[in-house]
Amino acid sequence: MDVAALERFLREQGIEVRGDLRVELISGGRSNLTFTAADDVSRWVVRRPPVSGLTPSAHDMAREYTVTDALQASAVPVAKTIAFDAEGTALGAPMTVVEFVDGTVIRDQDDLAALSDEQVRAAVAELVRVLAELHAVDPAAVGLAKFGRPAGFLTRQVNLWASQWERVTTRELTDVAALYAALVDAVPAESAASIVHGDFRIDNTILGAADPGQVRAVVDWELSTLGDPLTDAALMCVYRSPVFDLVLGSRAAWTSDRVPAPDALAQAYATASGRDLGNWGFYLALANFKLGVIAEGITHRARHGSDAGSAAGRAAEATPEFMAAGLRALKGDGK
């Protein structure tokens, strides 16, 4: 981070910097780099792509900034947007600046252990409510009518993850082809359309430090688009699978048995959103397919030197479990 360039950019955007600007890296690695920036009065979060290995995914920050900016006046809690350098004129790469949100991020089961059972129940209920609020937002009313292409969304998702599998596969798995074929045949003829987050679970939110039953901000919007809201709900449920720990390389908070079971989460979402969970088996199967491919991709990158550590090398152990679960979901004899 070029601190002097960041300070010049903030001042050019009309943001007063009082005292020395202090910048600290808080998250890096495979995705965009995240920094906190603070002067003597204010704190911001600054995100930019990695300094090497830039790919088109760097544009995901534009997606994230667009949707959070559009949701500022909605019922969905998001960080206040401050500035966006789409062309990378300040740092040589795109950069977003949002207001720092105080709160707690519950990433793993050690973090979850700090909450009482009552607080966990309150947090989960609020997460489900916020997801329903997101799906209730009229995209056109907040300027997001062209944020995605909801028509044909489910078919594209099935084909997207099948194509991704061909890029990252590390071995032959017959369940992959079987699940793909079954998904192609099971795509619902009609589906709803809304803003979807694409990666909704507890660790992609900031909860109130004093009241974990309050979602202060939903974060990590890189995968957001216009699509079928039930894909968000199903993914939230499938993240509950114990094998998701292998994908994250830790004991994820969302896989804890202190969180309601997938069926209970689905029913809570249906109640909060007023949506019918028709073709639910298809949505669960698609979510399992997606996570299985993601798990394989993590190990693929590790084997090609793009990631390190035994956790990344073991992620693909989850893939067969996700694929089998997807097939069971379509048959209606398992989740």
Side-chain angles (χ1 to χ4, degrees), residues 8 33 43 46 95 128 151 159 169-170 177 198 225 255 259:
R8 285 194 300 271
L33 305 179
R43 294 178 76 186
V46 182
M95 169 179 58
V128 172
N159 291 329
T169 181
T170 64
T225 188
T255 65
V259 176

Side-chain angles (χ1 to χ4, degrees), residues 103-122:
T104 299
V105 178
I106 306 296
R107 292 187 174 87
D108 56 35
Q109 293 185 27
D110 289 337
D111 294 332
L112 197 69
L115 306 186
S116 68
D117 289 344
E118 182 179 354
Q119 287 175 322
V120 171
R121 286 193 294 270

Side-chain angles (χ1 to χ4, degrees), residues 23-256:
V23 178
E24 178 182 354
L25 177 68
I26 59 174
S27 178
R30 307 185 196 109
S31 188
N32 296 321
L33 305 179
T34 304
F35 303 82
T36 56
D39 61 10
D40 293 342
V41 177
S42 303
R43 294 178 76 186
W44 304 278
V45 172
V46 182
R47 279 163 62 82
R48 58 149 295 161
V51 295
S52 62
L54 293 181
T55 69
S57 64
H59 297 295
D60 288 346
M61 285 192 307
R63 177 167 294 276
E64 180 172 69
Y65 194 86
T66 297
V67 69
T68 52
D69 193 51
L71 292 172
Q72 292 294 297
S74 75
V76 182
V78 292
K80 181 181 178 181
T81 49
I82 300 299
F84 179 37
D85 182 5
E87 303 301 322
T89 55
L91 300 179
M95 169 179 58
T96 64
V97 184
V98 300
E99 194 173 74
F100 182 87
V101 177
D102 279 311
T104 299
V105 178
I106 306 296
R107 292 187 174 87
D108 56 35
Q109 293 185 27
D110 289 337
D111 294 332
L112 197 69
L115 306 186
S116 68
D117 289 344
E118 182 179 354
Q119 287 175 322
V120 171
R121 286 193 294 270
V124 171
E126 181 67 358
L127 285 166
V128 172
R129 186 195 68 80
V130 167
L131 184 60
E133 290 283 7
L134 171 64
H135 295 160
V137 173
D138 178 358
V142 295
L144 294 177
K146 298 182 179 180
F147 191 59
R149 295 180 295 140
F153 175 76
L154 294 176
T155 296
R156 290 197 305 276
Q157 282 288 296
V158 171
N159 291 329
L160 167 67
W161 292 106
S163 174
Q164 185 66 7
W165 173 260
E166 295 301 321
R167 296 187 181 95
V168 304
T169 181
T170 64
R171 66 292 180 56
E172 291 293 325
L173 287 177
T174 57
D175 276 357
V176 175
L179 181 53
Y180 171 61
L183 284 167
V184 170
D185 289 341
V187 174
E190 296 182 358
S191 65
S194 75
I195 303 167
V196 295
H197 180 273
D199 196 17
F200 192 84
R201 58 181 191 267
I202 194 170
D203 50 313
N204 283 336
T205 66
I206 300 172
L207 305 180
D211 178 12
Q214 175 195 27
V215 175
R216 301 212 62 219
V218 179
V219 298
D220 291 344
W221 293 86
E222 293 97 328
L223 298 177
S224 59
T225 188
L226 298 187
D228 191 320
L230 293 189
T231 58
D232 262 350
L235 192 60
M236 174 182 67
C237 293
V238 172
Y239 278 140
R240 289 285 291 109
S241 172
V243 295
F244 186 57
D245 288 351
L246 289 170
V247 180
L248 290 189
S250 65
R251 296 171 64 244
W254 202 240
T255 65
S256 168

